[in-house]
Amino acid sequence: MDKPVIMTVDDDPGVSRSVARDLRRRYGHSYRIVRADTAAEGIESVREMRLRGDDVAAILADYRMPQMNGVEFLEQAMDLYPYARRVLLTAYADTDAAIQAINVVDLDHYMLKPWDPPEEKFYPVLDAQLDAWQRTDRRTTGELRVVGARWSARSYEVRDFLARNHVPYRWLLADDPEGEQLLAAAGMDVTGTGGPGTDAAPAALPLVVTAEGAVLTAPSTAELAAAVGLSTAPATGFYDLIVIGGGPGGLGAAVYGASEGLRTVLVEQHASGGQAGQSSRIENYLGFPDGVSGSQLADRARRQALKFGAELLTARTVTSLEVKGQARVVGFADGGSIAAHTVILATGVSYRRLTAPGLDDFIGAGVYYGAAVTEAPDCRDSEVYVVGAANSAGQGAVYLSGYASTVHMIVRSDGLERSMSHYLIEQIARIPNIVVHTETEVVGAAGGDHLERLTLKGPEGERTVETERLFVFIGAEPFTDWLGDTVERDERGFILTGPDLTAAEDRPRNWPLRREPYHLETNVPGVFAAGDVRADSIKRVASAVGEGAMAVALVHRYLEKA
């Protein structure tokens, strides 16, 4: 078998030879060292190695190269070798370069030149990176294909589930030649003509064909999750900590719980990231000056939780929480259950439904709650409508403006200032194809098999507009009905914690606040709440992550006293 490659790229020939010499001295017996003196030469070498089928273990790129800097080089190289370890070299402490590299290419290490002696400052770093590469599962997966109808709500749900769980797939329309071939091979005929051995029912769509050739017709979310390798079954029946909800608060709790030695399992109904995971761009999260998509942030947090040993269960719906002695038992919709000493409720919130007549008929067929990133490319050169005035709506409008000819923002209030961050308002004002309609609301929808028209009501009365897509980002509804009477909630369903558990009118003067940080305790000992699902929480990604981490500190305190 050919040796795997360690590649180094530096435009200074002397430095390039020195780096290659140090690499050969230590790793030449097990790896082939490839050196390039320019970024263009390096990219050409990467392409040639890919065509030959060579395996690349690590790529070391100098940051300050003309024409293409090291970050840009690594970004192109990772498209061809996504598993190669990425190391950025720089002659001095360039913090901006490091942050940029982390944002763009998920950098593995940042190293200062020169390293003398290499035995102390160079080789230990490369040893760790190569060891990580060796332990990575680099088996290439075949292509997952999804065949469905353009305006099928269930086809959209399947695509959205795969996209948000970072499962690559190829989307084929049922009336495309390749889509028809796959349907025929599966014994299906959605044209309605029927035929020997065919299923003429369109309800059988979408068709999912796995890389191994397994066929799923209109699969449930649980069936789909199992087919693509997502974990759906717990490894054991009892844990130290169960985290319910995979949004920022839940992921923060899972990372800190597992990293601190707690047997931790996170249960998520749909996909990691929650509402924040649907955000097309988050630009005010600490440490990401160039912004980061909610999906990227959620995926990094998910991988971080797994790294520390947390279990992540997907496509499991929680239906009950019971206290049985020292155990807190969580029940699932399928009848199964798991138990733990403690539970953190981080179920977050979902977007509130619009009640205008006709809208419910087109959910997933032109009407989408959240960013619906899978639909954005199909909005090209068309007019789309966005309802909402908070940051999520603004981020969605900015993202869609890169595809649509015009993005119309429908805002009930007289402006964006009361609910949207200032930086985002300024950004929207600079984008010419975003139009903000204030004091306006959607009052009706109509169409055939998909959305075709909206009725808007504004200062000048009602009017009808032609559009095939409406994206809704309004309000927040907590997912807490399943708790029943076990955990106290307010009139809107948000979980009450800390001093909020005592009604304001019943509090004596000089009510003593409880000493526990952030007051994350519910009325049930050993059960805590974190993030947007908690009453009066600050609806920000950073605060949700912080509450998830703080809840773990309270879990430790509870376990010490129990």
Side-chain angles (χ1 to χ4, degrees):
M1 182 180 296
D2 292 338
K3 295 178 181 179
V5 172
I6 298 176
M7 183 174 190
T8 174
V9 183
D10 196 308
D11 67 307
D12 185 324
V15 174
S16 179
R17 286 192 296 270
S18 177
V19 174
R21 183 187 63 243
D22 286 347
L23 289 172
R24 289 193 184 95
R25 183 183 304 161
R26 175 82 166 204
Y27 306 106
H29 62 287
S30 300
Y31 295 86
R32 182 161 60 93
I33 311 303
V34 174
R35 178 172 68 89
D37 291 334
T38 67
E41 180 184 326
I43 288 297
E44 185 62 29
S45 295
V46 169
R47 289 173 179 159
E48 290 176 359
M49 288 187 289
R50 188 62 181 162
L51 290 174
R52 289 197 301 265
D54 295 341
D55 211 354
V56 176
I59 302 175
L60 291 72
D62 181 56
Y63 176 64
R64 297 193 175 275
M65 295 188 292
Q67 285 81 49
M68 182 188 300
N69 66 37
V71 175
E72 294 166 337
F73 177 85
L74 290 171
E75 186 178 15
Q76 290 194 29
M78 70 185 291
D79 290 337
L80 298 172
Y81 285 101
Y83 298 109
R85 306 300 288 184
R86 296 175 287 279
V87 179
L88 187 69
L89 309 178
T90 185
Y92 54 89
D94 192 334
T95 305
D96 290 341
I99 293 175
Q100 183 188 9
I102 291 169
N103 285 337
V104 176
V105 299
D106 201 10
L107 189 69
D108 293 306
H109 200 83
Y110 174 74
M111 184 178 293
L112 301 179
K113 300 184 298 184
W115 42 77
D116 187 26
E119 288 76 13
E120 294 180 11
K121 299 181 179 181
F122 184 51
Y123 296 147
V125 171
L126 262 294
D127 287 346
Q129 295 303 321
L130 294 173
D131 179 64
W133 178 79
Q134 291 285 1
R135 289 185 283 105
T136 300
D137 183 2
R138 304 186 302 279
R139 292 172 296 180
T140 57
T141 56
E143 189 174 51
L144 181 78
R145 288 160 291 178
V146 179
V147 184
R150 182 185 182 193
W151 297 111
S152 160
R154 183 54 189 159
S155 293
Y156 162 71
E157 291 169 359
V158 166
R159 295 165 60 206
D160 184 61
F161 178 84
L162 293 172
R164 292 182 60 191
N165 281 285
H166 304 275
V167 178
Y169 69 93
R170 190 151 63 94
W171 166 243
L172 300 167
L173 292 173
D175 54 2
D176 284 345
E178 187 175 353
E180 290 178 346
Q181 292 169 7
L182 286 174
L183 293 174
M188 298 171 59
D189 174 22
V190 295
T191 64
T193 59
T198 63
D199 177 3
L205 291 178
L207 174 74
V208 177
V209 182
T210 70
E212 294 75 25
V215 174
L216 293 82
T217 56
S220 67
T221 301
E223 291 171 337
L224 184 61
V228 299
L230 296 175
S231 179
T232 59
T236 184
F238 197 90
Y239 297 85
D240 294 318
L241 170 63
I242 299 173
V243 181
I244 303 176
L251 287 168
V255 168
Y256 280 90
S259 67
E260 294 173 12
L262 298 176
R263 291 171 299 166
T264 302
V265 59
L266 183 149
V267 183
E268 168 56 44
Q269 183 177 5
H270 191 72
S272 299
Q275 196 178 69
Q278 295 178 275
S279 176
S280 54
R281 201 72 178 168
I282 301 171
E283 295 191 66
N284 59 349
Y285 190 74
L286 185 67
F288 292 88
D290 297 321
V292 61
S293 75
S295 177
Q296 289 173 323
L297 191 63
D299 183 54
R300 291 179 181 184
R302 179 190 63 82
R303 289 189 281 117
Q304 197 172 13
L306 291 171
K307 166 189 170 182
F308 288 122
E311 285 184 46
L312 270 62
L313 305 184
T314 306
R316 297 301 297 267
T317 301
V318 175
T319 56
S320 64
L321 173 63
E322 297 180 84
V323 177
K324 295 185 178 180
Q326 295 298 312
R328 279 71 184 125
V329 181
V330 171
F332 296 125
D334 61 4
S337 65
I338 53 177
H341 293 299
T342 58
V343 173
I344 294 177
L345 302 171
T347 51
V349 296
S350 59
Y351 291 111
R352 184 162 51 84
R353 294 291 179 92
L354 283 176
T355 58
L359 280 175
D360 283 352
D361 297 335
F362 303 113
I363 294 176
V367 176
Y368 307 98
Y369 287 85
V373 174
T374 56
E375 297 301 307
D378 289 336
C379 297
R380 197 174 302 279
D381 300 327
S382 62
E383 297 197 12
V384 302
Y385 286 74
V386 171
V387 178
N391 280 8
S392 56
Q395 291 158 353
V398 170
Y399 178 74
L400 290 166
S401 69
Y403 297 90
S405 59
T406 307
V407 177
H408 298 272
M409 292 191 69
I410 307 302
V411 179
R412 291 186 62 180
S413 64
D414 58 1
L416 302 172
E417 289 74 17
R418 280 183 282 180
S419 53
M420 188 177 293
S421 295
H422 180 68
Y423 83 90
L424 201 48
I425 295 175
E426 289 189 327
Q427 190 174 358
I428 288 171
R430 292 193 298 268
I431 300 176
N433 63 329
I434 297 181
V435 181
V436 180
H437 305 270
T438 58
E439 299 180 324
T440 303
E441 57 185 314
V442 177
V443 296
D449 63 342
H450 66 281
L451 177 68
E452 296 176 16
R453 294 175 297 281
L454 290 174
T455 302
L456 307 179
K457 183 178 181 180
E460 299 177 356
E462 292 190 1
R463 61 190 176 96
T464 299
V465 296
E466 303 288 328
T467 186
E468 292 186 330
R469 286 189 171 73
L470 173 72
F471 300 88
V472 183
F473 303 82
I474 60 168
E477 293 185 345
F479 176 56
T480 56
D481 289 345
W482 60 276
L483 288 168
D485 297 329
T486 303
V487 176
E488 289 188 27
R489 295 169 286 149
D490 66 13
E491 66 280 359
R492 296 179 298 162
F494 290 91
I495 297 172
L496 296 171
T497 58
D500 291 335
L501 291 169
T502 301
E505 60 269 20
D506 296 332
R507 296 177 187 172
R509 191 184 301 273
N510 299 323
W511 169 261
L513 293 179
R514 299 171 70 177
R515 293 181 179 277
E516 287 80 353
Y518 293 108
H519 319 296
L520 305 181
E521 311 86 342
T522 70
N523 62 298
V524 180
V527 177
F528 308 86
D532 291 357
V533 75
R534 192 176 65 82
D536 297 325
S537 65
I538 299 173
K539 304 299 187 281
R540 287 290 186 269
V541 175
S543 60
V545 173
E547 288 192 5
M550 189 57 67
V552 172
L554 301 183
V555 165
H556 281 294
R557 185 179 301 181
Y558 172 82
L559 292 175
E560 289 171 0
K561 295 178 180 179

